[in-house]
Amino acid sequence: MRRCRRAQDRAAMAAGELLVAYAIDDAYGLRCRRADRRMTSEGKPFFSRPDNVHFNISHSGEYVLVGVDRAPVGVDIQCHTSATEGVARRIMSADAFASWKASADRAAAFFDRWVEKECALKWRGVGIGELTQTDAPLPQGVSVFRLPAPEGYSAAVCGTPPTPPRLVPEDQLLNVSC
Amino acid sequence: MFERVKRIIEDYVRRDDLQITGDTDVLCDLGINSLELMELVCAFEMEFNVDIPEKEIRRFLIVDDIVAYLEKESAVAE
């Protein structure tokens, strides 16, 4: 957290950690202080005690998205800002790019695609330099799922089939037991 | 080359408190996410008329890494 200089990012990262504590307690009755936080070989954090609990955090705009599961999980949420043609060309096939160019809401169409790519990268625990890996097949039982998101946002999760996301207000996080 | 790269980053990031040097960490110091990094890469491609493959992006840890790559690619193009 120290390494990130933007105040908004720091606040979102802190909220993400609180959301993880909330979610693992809510889903598994696991207090993060008692959980043993470790890193995968790719440098992705998870809790290893008493049983593996994986988590992933994403933030954009006013929202923080957290996914927790017994199996590896990757999540991404993005606020619909402007969609650049250069990035769209990189992440879409020629046919998909042509459809995107003709779409009525290019921003929504772009970010819907982007979050699908990004959550798959995060599931694999790799960075944007491995973008082409998102075209590689995922293991059996693992898929990318688009999530219902607030107006003006796109969100997706990569992992096992998710339960519907829940909105946790900020004030509820202040009472999280760690 | 460094000054051109620095100007593109400054135009994109638009933060008054940012002092860009060769050692500036691309993700953490600039405070950008992976999408923003991709947009920056596209801006470099347009400015320098080069294609930057994804496998190179993972090597862009600090600004000097970007400068070194673009210097190398520009030399090849000439």
Side-chain angles (χ1 to χ4, degrees), chain A residues 42-57:
Chain A
E42 294 86 11
K44 199 174 160 190
F46 70 105
F47 297 110
S48 69
R49 200 174 55 189
D51 298 305
N52 286 358
V53 173
H54 296 261
F55 64 93
N56 200 231
I57 306 171

Side-chain angles (χ1 to χ4, degrees), chain A residues 69-84:
Chain A
D69 198 0
R70 291 288 187 196
V73 61
V75 298
D76 195 46
I77 185 166
Q78 286 287 339
C79 180
H80 297 172
T81 53
S82 59
T84 61

Side-chain angles (χ1 to χ4, degrees), chain A:
Chain A
M1 197 181 298
R2 256 184 328 216
R3 295 168 63 208
C4 201
R5 291 188 175 173
R6 283 198 301 200
Q8 190 182 352
D9 285 342
R10 285 202 300 270
M13 290 170 81
E17 292 293 330
L18 278 172
L19 263 176
V20 169
Y22 174 91
I24 63 171
D25 185 25
D26 186 63
Y28 307 112
L30 181 63
R31 296 287 171 88
C32 64
R33 196 171 286 176
R34 292 186 194 153
D36 189 15
R37 191 163 167 150
R38 293 176 177 244
M39 293 281 191
T40 64
S41 54
E42 294 86 11
K44 199 174 160 190
F46 70 105
F47 297 110
S48 69
R49 200 174 55 189
D51 298 305
N52 286 358
V53 173
H54 296 261
F55 64 93
N56 200 231
I57 306 171
S58 174
H59 65 86
S60 179
E62 296 180 351
Y63 289 90
V64 178
L65 177 64
V66 160
V68 296
D69 198 0
R70 291 288 187 196
V73 61
V75 298
D76 195 46
I77 185 166
Q78 286 287 339
C79 180
H80 297 172
T81 53
S82 59
T84 61
E85 206 167 305
V87 179
R89 199 183 295 274
R90 274 178 173 268
I91 66 168
M92 296 176 192
S93 66
D95 287 347
F97 181 75
S99 299
W100 173 75
K101 288 270 281 182
S103 62
D105 188 346
R106 282 196 198 178
F110 172 83
F111 285 101
D112 284 351
R113 187 74 189 111
W114 177 266
V115 295
E116 290 174 354
K117 290 264 186 190
E118 180 80 351
C119 72
L121 286 177
K122 293 178 77 178
W123 180 86
R124 293 180 196 275
V126 297
I128 199 66
E130 314 294 335
L131 196 59
T132 49
Q133 272 200 32
T134 55
D135 297 326
L138 292 161
Q140 194 173 9
V142 175
S143 295
V144 169
F145 304 88
R146 283 263 302 288
L147 296 173
E151 180 72 26
Y153 286 79
S154 296
V157 57
C158 181
T160 56
T163 53
R166 253 193 307 151
L167 193 61
V168 181
E170 278 172 303
D171 55 356
Q172 210 168 326
L173 292 179
L174 299 176
N175 300 319
V176 168
S177 300
C178 293

Side-chain angles (χ1 to χ4, degrees), chain A residues 3-6 9 59-60 78 81-84 86-87 90-91 110-111 114 118 128-132, chain B residues 15 18 25 28-39 41-42 45 51-55 57-58:
Chain A
R3 295 168 63 208
C4 201
R5 291 188 175 173
R6 283 198 301 200
D9 285 342
H59 65 86
S60 179
Q78 286 287 339
T81 53
S82 59
T84 61
V87 179
R90 274 178 173 268
I91 66 168
F110 172 83
F111 285 101
W114 177 266
E118 180 80 351
I128 199 66
E130 314 294 335
L131 196 59
T132 49
Chain B
R15 270 175 49 201
L18 189 62
D25 186 293
C28 293
D29 291 338
L30 298 184
I32 60 175
N33 61 28
S34 52
L35 173 60
E36 292 164 332
L37 175 59
M38 289 298 285
E39 287 177 336
V41 165
C42 290
E45 288 183 328
D51 289 325
I52 305 176
E54 269 97 36
K55 65 180 171 56
I57 300 173
R58 77 178 83 140

